[in-house]
Amino acid sequence: MSAFKGRDIIAIGDLSREDIRTILDQAAAFDRHRHEYAHLLGPFILATLFYEPSTRTRLSFESAMLRLGGKVISVAEARTSSSAIKGETLADTARTVAAYADIIVIRHPAVGSARELAEAAPVPVINAGDGTGEHPTQALLDLYTIERERGRLDGLRIGLVGDLKNGRTVHSLARALAYWDVSLMFVAPPALRMPEDITAALRARGVEIEETNDLLRAAQTCDVLYVTRIQRERFEDPDEYIQLKGSYVVDRALVQQARPGITIMHPLPRVDEIATDVDALPNAAYFRQVANGVAVRMALLALVLGAV
Ligand code: NCD
């Protein structure tokens, strides 16, 4: 019996290093032999509940479920088109959706919302982003991508760039990388630094962290640059966003001055923080990263549903 069956995936801290290894290995198996598993999840229904915009995360979960032969029901604009607008609580939504589906994927603007849904839902729940909190499945596909691009995780120096305060992808990724022997560089404007509790927790686990606002130096010393969007929707003051937007731009000239062979990643969507002239370089891994998301989400669904 799989150690994953029935588990909720809400935060990276819910997973051990061994759990993550299992997910990445299962994803690799699906990548190699996708067609052998086309009926694996035939009896199951996935419900996706998205209270915030998404292109990749929702479609890749749905694609993953369909590629494994499962079925999907979806509320894409749950904020305006579900009973949330009538004042329904997440706990009541959880009990209801669990009557229709065997597993729920939720994205919601409030930190802690996925945990709240999971506590009330009698079926497993996967967090696809809770506000500025966590985005654990993105971190898993990011690890999978780093390992594929670089051949390993141990021994790498990884730079996280951009809105480290509000970006949930970097919160989860930094926590996930701490399971390996990596050194981290945090490149952010002073107002958008990585939250102190995360930095302190990583340092307590022995991760070497350097904070800087020198993007060129980061590019010259890191094996991987993970670039993020300034999270406009999290700013109360639009002028502050305008001031910070464009703080860091990775363009072809920067990549040419960077450490040779550097890998450039981004969870997407990008605004202007990676110039399109980078896209054709072999260093640009962000569209391969998108494709990797399907295999990793196939692995998560199959493991949590107890099918592998
Ligand atoms: C990210 C998110 O929603 O947190 N997108 C994604 O899931 N790939 C990143 C972002 O919106 O900037």
Side-chain angles (χ1 to χ4, degrees):
M1 174 77 68
S2 155
F4 274 94
K5 189 172 176 187
R7 276 171 69 177
D8 301 313
I9 310 285
I10 307 298
I12 285 296
D14 297 343
L15 300 168
S16 66
R17 177 175 159 145
E18 292 67 40
D19 290 335
I20 295 178
R21 186 74 268 153
T22 303
I23 296 164
L24 303 187
D25 289 348
Q26 187 59 52
F30 283 148
D31 250 338
R32 279 193 305 272
H33 307 289
R34 185 165 288 185
H35 302 293
E36 288 174 28
Y37 298 96
H39 304 291
L40 188 70
L41 298 185
F44 298 108
I45 296 177
L46 161 71
T48 55
L49 288 182
F50 276 64
Y51 296 81
E52 274 195 342
S54 169
T55 301
R56 275 152 292 273
T57 306
R58 186 170 65 85
L59 288 181
S60 69
F61 264 113
E62 296 185 3
S63 170
M65 190 66 181
L66 295 170
R67 285 191 192 284
L68 291 171
K71 298 166 193 73
V72 177
I73 54 178
S74 187
V75 189
E77 290 179 56
R79 211 169 183 168
T80 50
S81 69
S82 78
S83 289
I85 206 159
K86 304 180 188 168
E88 184 167 59
T89 63
L90 278 175
D92 283 1
T93 302
R95 292 185 196 104
T96 304
V97 177
Y100 309 142
D102 305 290
I103 184 165
I104 302 172
V105 174
I106 180 177
R107 169 171 288 184
H108 191 283
V111 175
S113 51
R115 184 82 68 197
E116 194 181 326
L117 188 90
E119 274 161 13
V123 301
V125 171
I126 298 181
N127 178 12
D130 61 327
T132 59
E134 284 222 29
H135 192 349
T137 71
Q138 178 72 42
L140 293 167
L141 79 89
D142 295 338
L143 291 184
Y144 185 76
T145 301
I146 295 170
E147 207 166 42
R148 281 188 77 143
E149 297 287 323
R150 310 298 310 197
R152 65 198 163 98
L153 289 163
D154 280 326
L156 295 178
R157 184 166 174 81
I158 296 168
L160 306 183
V161 182
D163 189 347
L164 307 186
K165 175 179 177 217
N166 299 303
R168 55 196 171 201
T169 66
V170 281
H171 298 166
S172 290
L173 180 57
R175 290 189 158 109
L177 286 167
Y179 285 118
W180 278 267
D181 176 23
V182 296
S183 70
L184 300 179
M185 216 164 163
F186 293 164
V187 189
L192 300 179
R193 288 174 58 193
M194 183 67 86
E196 187 51 42
D197 61 319
I198 299 181
T199 310
L202 300 182
R203 287 206 168 109
R205 288 171 56 179
V207 181
E208 188 197 306
I209 298 171
E210 186 184 334
E211 295 190 81
T212 179
N213 41 37
D214 186 346
L215 178 62
L216 177 60
R217 206 168 61 76
Q220 288 171 336
T221 57
C222 286
D223 301 293
V224 177
L225 275 191
Y226 186 97
V227 186
T228 65
R229 171 178 75 85
I230 308 291
Q231 307 279 298
R232 185 215 294 252
E233 66 276 33
R234 310 294 177 208
F235 285 78
E236 271 163 30
D237 174 3
D239 290 341
E240 198 193 352
Y241 168 74
I242 290 163
Q243 270 166 27
L244 290 166
K245 156 177 152 3
S247 300
Y248 298 108
V249 175
V250 173
D251 57 13
R252 188 179 275 245
L254 184 98
V255 177
Q256 281 160 352
Q257 290 171 270
R259 184 166 183 164
I262 191 168
T263 302
I264 309 293
M265 294 174 61
H266 193 303
L268 303 179
R270 77 173 141 185
V271 183
D272 52 11
E273 57 282 347
I274 300 183
T276 51
D277 64 5
V278 176
D279 297 0
L281 299 175
N283 315 73
Y286 29 95
F287 290 109
R288 295 191 288 277
Q289 193 180 345
V290 168
N292 291 338
V294 179
V296 170
R297 290 177 172 126
M298 287 168 76
L300 279 165
L301 293 169
L303 285 162
V304 169
L305 288 167
V308 287

